[in-house]
Amino acid sequence: MKTIRLCEGKERSLLRRHPWVFQGSVAKGGADAGETVRVEAHDGRFLAWGAFSPASAIRVRSWSFDETQRIDAAFFHARLQRSIALRGRLIAAGLIASDGVRLVHGEADGLPGLIVDRYGDVLSVQFGSAGVERWREPIADALCAITGLTRLYERSDASARSQEGLPARTGWLRGDGATALAITEHGWTLGLDVAHGHKTGYYLDQRDNRARLATLVRQLGCRTVLNCYSYTGGFSVAALAGGAAEVTSVDSSGPALVQARDNLRRNGFDDGAHAFIDADVNAFLREAITAGRSFDAIVLDPPKFAPTAAHSERAARAYKDINRLALKLLAPGGLLLTFSCSGGVSADLFHKIVAGAGIDAGVNAAILQRLEGACDHPTTIEFPEGEYLKGLALLKT
């Protein structure tokens, strides 16, 4: 077993069970990509077993802090079984109202770099680190054995792969068949494609926030709703389900808007109650303000502007601009649901950005609720960086 020795004082994060070891913390030692290594403090004390990644700034991702633990196929089977059992408990408790569920959420489930989503009877998996890539086949076998499912599609095409020195890989890893699927969520039916959709096929993390929008639209009597960065229309379906009379979906992806139209039809909503706009969101917001338009509710769910803290300054400007425009466009008393999925932007920073947007827009707003990802996308106390999705429900006063 190869050993990684840390610089003096760099063991503190591992002692707090944080799973990452950065390049600058390593005093000596190395291994092949994904190889299991023993991580030691500067004085030789055992700290963790982890996966080495020579190409990444995150040089080691920890598997276990138990010195007696063996990192083998049985280890991964047990970790996967524990993770999937947790989701089963959440479903049984009524906390997940969908057959689209995140079964494995990377570091939060003790499996750094691994994402597994279940869409009905299909699994969609993403191997995002050298460690899980090395155990790809045993992980696939274990997932099928534990869930009883036979179809597993691989979506290892995220940008994190390149940072690990790994090539993109997509396609059926187990089984085959159509990649266009449909799931149920809060009584709605939503179509997706595991081969071509964003991430592993769909944004399951926004499940409860979509339901929250439907409730607020109903409670506040919002008649007109604007869904920006609408993708395949999940928030648009929710707005109509909440009683909105008119919904406008704006996205720069034509194929996503086609899927959005299909999702509205799947749920029995008439095309006449919806407008689909293929446009840049910033440009649309500016043109709508110039035209004197307003909306009772607006959803801002943009893509990741800041993948790391190094990008936060540029991202802050982008978030501030779209929130300033949305607050100006919002009718008096209107509702804004605004989100950031950028790991490099903390919840506190996001709050400050939106506050600055309100000041620049000359608008006051009250916070109705702070929003986060669904419960099958957990954030653990040891790994706060896992809290990537944050949002605010605001009422323009």
Side-chain angles (χ1 to χ4, degrees), residues 12-30:
R12 294 170 187 163
S13 62
L14 288 180
L15 291 173
R16 293 195 298 267
R17 300 198 169 218
H18 191 284
W20 291 350
V21 175
F22 287 94
Q23 178 182 359
S25 298
V26 177
K28 63 179 181 178

Side-chain angles (χ1 to χ4, degrees), residues 224-257:
T224 57
V225 179
L226 172 63
N227 182 13
C228 297
Y229 308 98
S230 60
Y231 188 44
T232 57
F235 278 110
S236 302
V237 170
L240 290 168
E246 179 185 322
V247 176
T248 301
S249 293
V250 182
D251 200 281
S252 59
S253 168
L257 291 172

Side-chain angles (χ1 to χ4, degrees), residues 90-147:
L90 296 174
I91 292 169
L95 297 174
I96 299 176
S98 178
D99 60 352
V101 182
R102 173 145 297 183
L103 298 181
V104 181
H105 192 54
E107 282 81 351
D109 288 302
L111 293 164
L114 182 66
I115 298 297
V116 183
D117 288 331
R118 176 173 182 164
Y119 300 112
D121 63 354
V122 172
L123 296 171
S124 184
V125 61
Q126 187 174 94
F127 299 95
S129 69
V132 290
E133 173 72 13
R134 194 176 183 95
W135 291 93
R136 180 170 168 268
E137 292 299 325
I139 287 172
D141 289 340
L143 284 169
C144 292
I146 295 166
T147 63

